[in-house]
Amino acid sequence: PGNLRGRTGTVERVFEGNYGYFCSTGPDGIGDPMPVYIVRFEPTDIWGELAEPGAVLYGELYQAYLEPAMEETQ
C-alpha cells in the first residue's frame, strides 16, 4: 500500500513457504515465488495525530516490497 511506502516497521512473522508474486516478469504474468512478511507499523508514524489511540497497523508484504532499515548513527 502506498501509505506504507518508505515507512519503517517491525517484522512480526514470516509466513511459511513462498507465495506467487503476480507481477509481469514473464509471459505468464506470475513472478518467482517469494516470502511474505507480516510487518507491524505504528499508526502515529503514518498518520500522525490523526491516528487512533492504541491502534496498531499490520501489513502482509511480499519480500520485494521490503528493504533493510537504516541503522541510526550516534
Side-chain angles (χ1 to χ4, degrees):
N3 61 336
L4 301 180
R5 208 172 276 148
R7 306 293 182 175
T8 300
T10 302
V11 174
E12 294 279 319
R13 180 177 166 208
V14 181
F15 285 112
E16 286 188 38
N18 293 319
Y19 296 84
Y21 180 62
F22 297 95
C23 177
S24 186
T25 59
D28 63 0
I30 300 174
D32 292 331
M34 66 182 74
V36 174
Y37 297 79
I38 296 179
V39 183
R40 177 188 171 130
F41 296 91
E42 295 301 324
T44 53
D45 293 342
I46 299 168
W47 295 294
E49 63 184 43
L50 298 176
E52 185 175 324
V56 177
L57 177 68
Y58 291 94
E60 295 178 2
L61 306 172
Y62 281 99
Q63 182 174 323
Y65 294 122
L66 303 178
E67 59 184 50
M70 300 293 292
E71 291 188 29
E72 292 184 30
T73 57
Q74 297 185 13

